[in-house]
Amino acid sequence: MSRALPKYNKRRVAIIGGAAALALTGAVVVNQALAGESSKDSTTNANTLAAAGPGTITCPDVASQLPEIPATAQAEVDRNLTLLQTQIDEANQRLIDTVGQGGANFVQNAILGPLEDKRIATVNRIATAIGRTADKPQGLEALAPCTLNADGVAAGNEAGDDAAAGAEDNAGATETPADNAAGDAQDTGDDAAAGAGAGAGAEDNAGDANGVGTITCPDVASQLPAIPARAQAEVDRNLTLLQTQIDEANTRLQNTVGQGGANFVQNAILGPLKDKRVSTIDRIAISIGRAGTKPQGLEALAACTLNK
């Protein structure tokens, strides 16, 4: 019996070892299956998000907030109310055309922000038209900001990033050091390609390699006629505002270096600045016109350029 025991023990060890190996093999198969399923789920989530709609832009109704409109102002008010709707339609179309572009703040910077600036200029014209022959309505600018009903782009961008991160984490569980090194090299290549695409862009966004550039606008003060004394204070106030707008745009230019695509500066900074300047220059012309001849063609001075 004592000589048989070692053989028995060897057989028991062999059986137990084989069972352990079988269990380990099963665990590996299960883990691989789960990893494949997680990757599949992540891909499904990403595809679902990609198929989601871009959402729609909704703005406060201006017409319902207006006081009684004088007959002499009706045509101009109607024209600007129509323009407000056109602006919303154009913004919704741009929302569709730019799905997937830019970063997390693209919709705010390149669509909602410029739309708000356009609406401010338009509701100001409505208020001015009414104010020529009746009490000028106050506070209409509060109706300018619009919102995105985010069943697509705004929520989708964040969720899409989460899905992509999840897929990357799942893939990382089975990556070898060689795979990681190759992935790093690919990331570097992707970054270089993104740099070339986002800024066919270095010119529009940064001016040159040494700085972001500066925004320059035509001088309005030198193009004004003689200013009536009663209009001087209002004209001076709006000339100061024009400079403030340029300073703010230059600050924004510095704070957003590298954001957006090739047209980011035009869409998110120069375009909104032009709209603000149109509204401000309009107020200057109107204030002069109350006591003298209203200057014409000042809106041609609204557009600004980026000095690179």
Side-chain angles (χ1 to χ4, degrees):
M1 290 296 290
S2 60
R3 288 194 297 272
L5 282 176
K7 294 181 181 180
Y8 172 76
N9 288 337
K10 289 178 182 178
R11 285 198 301 273
R12 184 173 61 176
V13 169
I15 292 171
I16 293 174
L22 181 60
L24 180 60
T25 301
V28 170
V29 171
V30 169
N31 284 339
Q32 288 177 341
L34 289 175
E37 188 63 29
S38 297
S39 177
K40 180 180 177 182
D41 288 344
S42 296
T43 302
T44 301
N45 289 339
N47 290 338
T48 301
L49 289 166
T56 55
I57 291 170
T58 302
C59 305
D61 181 55
V62 174
S64 63
Q65 303 301 312
L66 297 179
E68 185 176 351
I69 302 170
T72 55
Q74 189 69 58
E76 186 173 356
V77 170
D78 288 345
R79 184 165 59 250
N80 281 289
L81 288 174
T82 300
L83 179 58
L84 287 173
Q85 185 57 51
T86 300
Q87 291 164 352
I88 296 172
D89 294 340
E90 290 173 347
N92 273 312
Q93 185 58 50
R94 184 141 195 272
L95 193 64
I96 294 171
D97 294 341
T98 58
V99 170
Q101 292 186 19
N105 296 319
F106 177 82
V107 172
Q108 179 60 47
N109 292 336
I111 300 180
L112 292 180
L115 175 59
E116 178 179 350
D117 292 328
K118 291 178 182 178
R119 283 173 60 84
I120 287 173
T122 306
V123 297
N124 273 337
R125 287 195 291 272
I126 291 173
T128 299
I130 295 173
R132 290 193 187 104
T133 52
D135 290 337
K136 182 178 179 179
Q138 303 297 318
L140 292 182
E141 288 189 1
L143 303 174
C146 302
T147 56
L148 175 65
N149 295 332
D151 25 294
V153 172
N157 282 343
E158 183 178 351
D161 290 342
D162 291 343
E168 185 176 345
D169 288 342
N170 289 331
T174 57
E175 283 178 351
T176 66
D179 291 335
N180 287 329
D184 290 342
Q186 182 64 46
D187 287 343
T188 301
D190 289 345
D191 289 342
E203 290 191 352
D204 283 342
N205 287 337
D208 56 47
N210 295 323
V212 295
T214 56
I215 292 170
T216 302
C217 306
D219 181 55
V220 174
S222 63
Q223 303 301 312
L224 298 179
I227 302 171
R230 57 187 285 193
Q232 189 69 56
E234 186 172 356
V235 170
D236 288 344
R237 183 166 61 251
N238 282 290
L239 288 174
T240 299
L241 179 58
L242 287 173
Q243 184 57 50
T244 300
Q245 292 164 351
I246 296 172
D247 294 341
E248 290 173 346
N250 273 311
T251 298
R252 187 144 190 253
L253 188 66
Q254 295 172 4
N255 293 340
T256 57
V257 172
Q259 291 188 20
N263 297 319
F264 177 81
V265 171
Q266 179 59 49
N267 293 335
I269 299 179
L270 292 180
L273 175 60
K274 179 181 178 181
D275 293 330
K276 291 178 182 179
R277 283 173 60 83
V278 167
S279 180
T280 306
I281 290 170
D282 235 12
R283 289 195 293 270
I284 290 174
I286 290 167
S287 63
I288 293 174
R290 290 194 189 102
T293 302
K294 181 179 178 181
Q296 302 297 317
L298 291 182
E299 288 189 1
L301 305 173
C304 301
T305 56
L306 176 64
N307 290 332
K308 303 168 185 178

